[in-house]
Amino acid sequence: MIIRIGHLYPDMLNLYGDRGNIIALTQRMNARGIEVQTDRITMGKSFNADDYDILFIGGGQDFEQDVLLDDLKKGKDLQINKAIHNGTVFLAICGGYQMLGKYYKTYDGKMLEYMGALDFYTEGREERMIGNYAFKTKEGIEVVGFENHSGRTHLGSDVEPLGKMIKGYGNNGEDGTEGVRYKNTFGTYSHGPILPKNAKFADLLISKAVENKYGTAKLEPLDDTLEHKAQKQIMKLYIK
Ligand code: GLN
């Protein structure tokens, strides 16, 4: 088995070690005998979404999101759109998550029109939402993470939230939702990075990618004693 990962803008969008998500995916697949090949899709590089089983985009600051916009609109936006609607597994973090929506209006009034692949928009405010936080997915997976964003995201009716807040701000600090979920696309504000901290969530993505490609996915369990201990400790210290 081989799973191909496309890492979008790895040099521009990589806050708080977002790249650790690629490492976690790779390790957890390799441990099960699944080969992983990762391509770095940088600015100016052509990109065909059909080449990938998993797409990943990290977070950045308003500045990087603005700089990338031209490149995104030269065709990567159409490929990303296609992948999302075809059900490719896609993990998008914070600034990268915002880029899948309709627009992001920065706190100082700059309008960044995005691809509108998913039904949501984001508006920034001067006061940032920062801290360790946690949410629960519809499968009951408790996810811990770290958020730092000025953008408030508001979901439309065509998408569902990735989770319900346990503690922290999430999408907008008001409606108790965190992230977005549509087919196999998962958008979240969680830096940290999210997957090494949340083994069950990492396996959810892996199983969906393997199932997409090979029809079924029965992942061998791994020894996650340390991962679960670390997650429990984070919960104890910062969340509950
Ligand atoms: N620029 C976005 C915001 O501040 C995203 C920040 C991030 O990726 N951490 O809302």
Side-chain angles (χ1 to χ4, degrees):
M1 275 194 216
I2 177 161
I3 291 292
R4 295 198 159 82
I5 302 178
H7 187 173
L8 286 150
Y9 303 120
D11 46 351
M12 301 283 285
L13 298 177
N14 182 31
L15 269 185
Y16 304 113
D18 284 335
R19 196 177 69 87
N21 291 310
I22 301 283
I23 298 171
L25 287 171
T26 306
Q27 297 257 17
R28 298 186 72 79
M29 286 195 267
N30 286 169
R32 292 160 165 131
I34 303 168
E35 205 182 314
V36 178
Q37 189 190 306
T38 302
D39 284 349
R40 292 162 56 84
I41 302 151
T42 49
M43 273 172 87
K45 192 168 172 187
S46 68
F47 161 57
N48 184 348
D50 295 336
D51 294 341
Y52 300 102
D53 309 303
I54 299 179
L55 291 173
F56 174 72
I57 186 166
Q61 300 174 52
D62 293 1
F63 174 75
E64 283 100 9
Q65 287 174 238
D66 191 9
V67 169
L68 289 176
L69 203 51
D70 273 352
D71 185 74
L72 191 71
K73 290 193 169 167
K74 282 182 190 146
K76 285 195 179 77
D77 53 349
L78 300 177
Q79 292 296 320
I80 289 173
N81 217 319
K82 179 176 76 176
I84 288 175
H85 292 281
N86 281 347
T88 302
V89 173
F90 195 161
L91 176 64
I93 310 295
C94 202
Y97 158 36
Q98 294 171 351
M99 291 170 82
L100 308 182
K102 292 177 178 158
Y103 69 85
Y104 173 41
K105 192 171 169 197
T106 64
Y107 76 95
D108 52 359
K110 188 155 193 180
M111 187 64 164
L112 306 175
E113 300 272 0
Y114 286 140
M115 61 187 91
L118 295 176
D119 182 18
F120 66 83
Y121 65 90
T122 305
E123 293 182 348
R125 282 203 227 137
E126 198 155 350
E127 192 200 335
R128 302 187 67 82
M129 303 196 284
I130 306 174
N132 292 291
Y133 78 131
F135 60 93
K136 196 181 215 171
T137 71
K138 65 180 176 187
E139 291 85 4
I141 302 175
E142 290 191 343
V143 178
V144 295
F146 174 76
E147 59 181 330
N148 180 358
H149 50 113
S150 109
R152 273 75 173 159
T153 296
H154 298 273
L155 303 179
S157 53
D158 292 350
V159 291
E160 53 178 332
L162 174 57
K164 286 199 179 116
M165 293 305 295
I166 297 173
K167 187 170 177 194
Y169 301 97
N171 276 336
N172 49 54
E174 283 163 11
D175 64 12
T177 68
E178 156 60 8
V180 73
R181 184 164 184 169
Y182 172 83
K183 295 191 175 175
N184 291 323
T185 293
F186 302 83
T188 173
Y189 274 107
S190 181
H191 289 287
I194 184 173
L195 298 184
K197 281 185 180 174
N198 298 283
K200 284 186 189 157
F201 185 57
D203 280 356
L204 177 70
L205 269 58
I206 294 171
S207 60
K208 287 193 179 295
V210 172
E211 199 177 313
N212 264 353
K213 189 161 187 181
Y214 295 102
T216 55
K218 185 132 185 22
L219 299 183
E220 270 168 56
L222 301 178
D223 178 5
D224 287 324
T225 317
L226 277 179
E227 284 80 354
H228 291 152
K229 253 192 182 165
Q231 212 217 34
K232 257 202 184 133
Q233 188 67 4
I234 294 170
M235 279 284 186
K236 199 169 125 192
L237 286 177
Y238 303 117
I239 312 295
K240 286 179 175 167

